[in-house]
Amino acid sequence: MYPETAYEITTHTPRRADYPAYLPAPEGPVMLPSEIPPGVQMVTLPGGIRTLAYTQPTVPTAPVVAVAQPIPAWAKTTALLTPTIGGGIAAAGIGLSYAAPGLIAMSQALWSAVALITAAAIGVPVLLRLGRAATGTGGGTTHITQNITASGMFGKANGTINHH
C-alpha cells in the first residue's frame, strides 16, 4: 500500500575533543588552529570551502610627516584687511549713533516740507477759483467749436475755429 523509501544509514563520526566546536566538521585530516605555521591562515573560498593558504604579511606604513606649507597671499591679505573692515564698520555704527537725532529731525522736516508743498499745490488753485468767483471776473464760459472737412482719402483738410 505504501511505497517503500530507501534510506541511507550513516554512522556518526565523533569529533576530536581538541577541535573547536564553532568550526564546521572537517572531512579528512584535521589541523588545529594552534598547529598552523606563521604566514598561513585559514581562508574561505568563494565556493564556501575552507582551506589553508599563504598570506602576504602586512607591512606597517610609515607615519606621514606633515610638511609646513607657506601661507597663500590671499590669506595674508584677508587677515590684514579684517581688522580694517571691522574698524570701519564700528566707526560707521558710532557715527550713525551720533547722527541719529539729527537724522530724525531732518526726516521730520522733510515730511513737513512735503506736506507744505502738497497743501500749496491743492490750496492755491482752490483759493484762486474762489477769489475769481467772488469778484465776478471771468464769469462766462467760452465755447470753442472746430469744423474740419477733407475730401477724398488723401485730400487736404481745411478747418475753422469759432469762439462764442
mmCIF file of all heavy atoms in Angstrom, residues 77-93:
data_model
loop_
_atom_site.group_PDB
_atom_site.id
_atom_site.type_symbol
_atom_site.label_atom_id
_atom_site.label_comp_id
_atom_site.label_asym_id
_atom_site.label_seq_id
_atom_site.Cartn_x
_atom_site.Cartn_y
_atom_site.Cartn_z
ATOM 1 N N THR A 77 46.403 88.698 2.866
ATOM 2 C CA THR A 77 45.676 89.931 2.566
ATOM 3 C C THR A 77 44.365 89.987 3.343
ATOM 4 O O THR A 77 44.017 91.016 3.932
ATOM 5 C CB THR A 77 45.393 90.016 1.057
ATOM 6 O OG1 THR A 77 46.630 89.898 0.352
ATOM 7 C CG2 THR A 77 44.711 91.315 0.696
ATOM 8 N N THR A 78 43.656 88.870 3.368
ATOM 9 C CA THR A 78 42.386 88.827 4.088
ATOM 10 C C THR A 78 42.612 89.044 5.578
ATOM 11 O O THR A 78 41.864 89.775 6.229
ATOM 12 C CB THR A 78 41.683 87.477 3.851
ATOM 13 O OG1 THR A 78 41.524 87.294 2.448
ATOM 14 C CG2 THR A 78 40.333 87.425 4.522
ATOM 15 N N ALA A 79 43.652 88.426 6.117
ATOM 16 C CA ALA A 79 43.940 88.582 7.541
ATOM 17 C C ALA A 79 44.306 90.024 7.873
ATOM 18 O O ALA A 79 43.962 90.528 8.946
ATOM 19 C CB ALA A 79 45.067 87.635 7.939
ATOM 20 N N LEU A 80 44.987 90.706 6.956
ATOM 21 C CA LEU A 80 45.355 92.096 7.212
ATOM 22 C C LEU A 80 44.170 93.039 7.044
ATOM 23 O O LEU A 80 44.093 94.076 7.704
ATOM 24 C CB LEU A 80 46.494 92.512 6.271
ATOM 25 C CG LEU A 80 47.848 91.850 6.560
ATOM 26 C CD1 LEU A 80 48.849 92.207 5.475
ATOM 27 C CD2 LEU A 80 48.365 92.261 7.915
ATOM 28 N N LEU A 81 43.234 92.712 6.158
ATOM 29 C CA LEU A 81 42.088 93.586 5.921
ATOM 30 C C LEU A 81 40.975 93.411 6.953
ATOM 31 O O LEU A 81 40.151 94.307 7.120
ATOM 32 C CB LEU A 81 41.518 93.350 4.524
ATOM 33 C CG LEU A 81 42.341 93.897 3.370
ATOM 34 C CD1 LEU A 81 41.690 93.524 2.050
ATOM 35 C CD2 LEU A 81 42.490 95.392 3.476
ATOM 36 N N THR A 82 40.940 92.299 7.621
ATOM 37 C CA THR A 82 39.849 92.026 8.558
ATOM 38 C C THR A 82 39.738 93.081 9.651
ATOM 39 O O THR A 82 38.642 93.593 9.894
ATOM 40 C CB THR A 82 40.014 90.615 9.150
ATOM 41 O OG1 THR A 82 40.012 89.678 8.080
ATOM 42 C CG2 THR A 82 38.892 90.281 10.107
ATOM 43 N N PRO A 83 40.820 93.458 10.349
ATOM 44 C CA PRO A 83 40.667 94.500 11.373
ATOM 45 C C PRO A 83 40.257 95.846 10.773
ATOM 46 O O PRO A 83 39.502 96.599 11.386
ATOM 47 C CB PRO A 83 42.046 94.599 12.020
ATOM 48 C CG PRO A 83 42.805 93.414 11.578
ATOM 49 C CD PRO A 83 42.163 92.906 10.345
ATOM 50 N N THR A 84 40.737 96.134 9.573
ATOM 51 C CA THR A 84 40.390 97.401 8.941
ATOM 52 C C THR A 84 38.898 97.457 8.636
ATOM 53 O O THR A 84 38.232 98.465 8.903
ATOM 54 C CB THR A 84 41.193 97.569 7.638
ATOM 55 O OG1 THR A 84 42.570 97.416 7.932
ATOM 56 C CG2 THR A 84 40.948 98.908 7.000
ATOM 57 N N ILE A 85 38.384 96.389 8.090
ATOM 58 C CA ILE A 85 36.950 96.343 7.764
ATOM 59 C C ILE A 85 36.124 96.407 9.047
ATOM 60 O O ILE A 85 35.140 97.139 9.130
ATOM 61 C CB ILE A 85 36.632 95.076 6.951
ATOM 62 C CG1 ILE A 85 37.306 95.160 5.584
ATOM 63 C CG2 ILE A 85 35.135 94.890 6.796
ATOM 64 C CD1 ILE A 85 37.257 93.878 4.802
ATOM 65 N N GLY A 86 36.543 95.658 10.055
ATOM 66 C CA GLY A 86 35.822 95.693 11.330
ATOM 67 C C GLY A 86 35.849 97.070 11.955
ATOM 68 O O GLY A 86 34.840 97.548 12.494
ATOM 69 N N GLY A 87 37.009 97.744 11.887
ATOM 70 C CA GLY A 87 37.104 99.102 12.430
ATOM 71 C C GLY A 87 36.227 100.068 11.664
ATOM 72 O O GLY A 87 35.607 100.962 12.253
ATOM 73 N N GLY A 88 36.159 99.915 10.341
ATOM 74 C CA GLY A 88 35.296 100.783 9.534
ATOM 75 C C GLY A 88 33.834 100.597 9.879
ATOM 76 O O GLY A 88 33.074 101.572 9.963
ATOM 77 N N ILE A 89 33.430 99.364 10.080
ATOM 78 C CA ILE A 89 32.031 99.099 10.444
ATOM 79 C C ILE A 89 31.734 99.683 11.819
ATOM 80 O O ILE A 89 30.677 100.270 12.052
ATOM 81 C CB ILE A 89 31.743 97.585 10.379
ATOM 82 C CG1 ILE A 89 31.805 97.109 8.936
ATOM 83 C CG2 ILE A 89 30.399 97.261 11.004
ATOM 84 C CD1 ILE A 89 31.726 95.608 8.772
ATOM 85 N N ALA A 90 32.680 99.531 12.749
ATOM 86 C CA ALA A 90 32.482 100.091 14.089
ATOM 87 C C ALA A 90 32.385 101.610 14.029
ATOM 88 O O ALA A 90 31.529 102.224 14.687
ATOM 89 C CB ALA A 90 33.626 99.661 14.995
ATOM 90 N N ALA A 91 33.253 102.254 13.232
ATOM 91 C CA ALA A 91 33.216 103.710 13.112
ATOM 92 C C ALA A 91 31.896 104.168 12.488
ATOM 93 O O ALA A 91 31.322 105.182 12.908
ATOM 94 C CB ALA A 91 34.394 104.187 12.263
ATOM 95 N N ALA A 92 31.416 103.434 11.499
ATOM 96 C CA ALA A 92 30.137 103.793 10.882
ATOM 97 C C ALA A 92 29.001 103.681 11.894
ATOM 98 O O ALA A 92 28.107 104.533 11.939
ATOM 99 C CB ALA A 92 29.864 102.896 9.675
ATOM 100 N N GLY A 93 29.024 102.647 12.714
ATOM 101 C CA GLY A 93 27.992 102.492 13.744
ATOM 102 C C GLY A 93 28.022 103.617 14.751
ATOM 103 O O GLY A 93 26.975 104.154 15.145
#
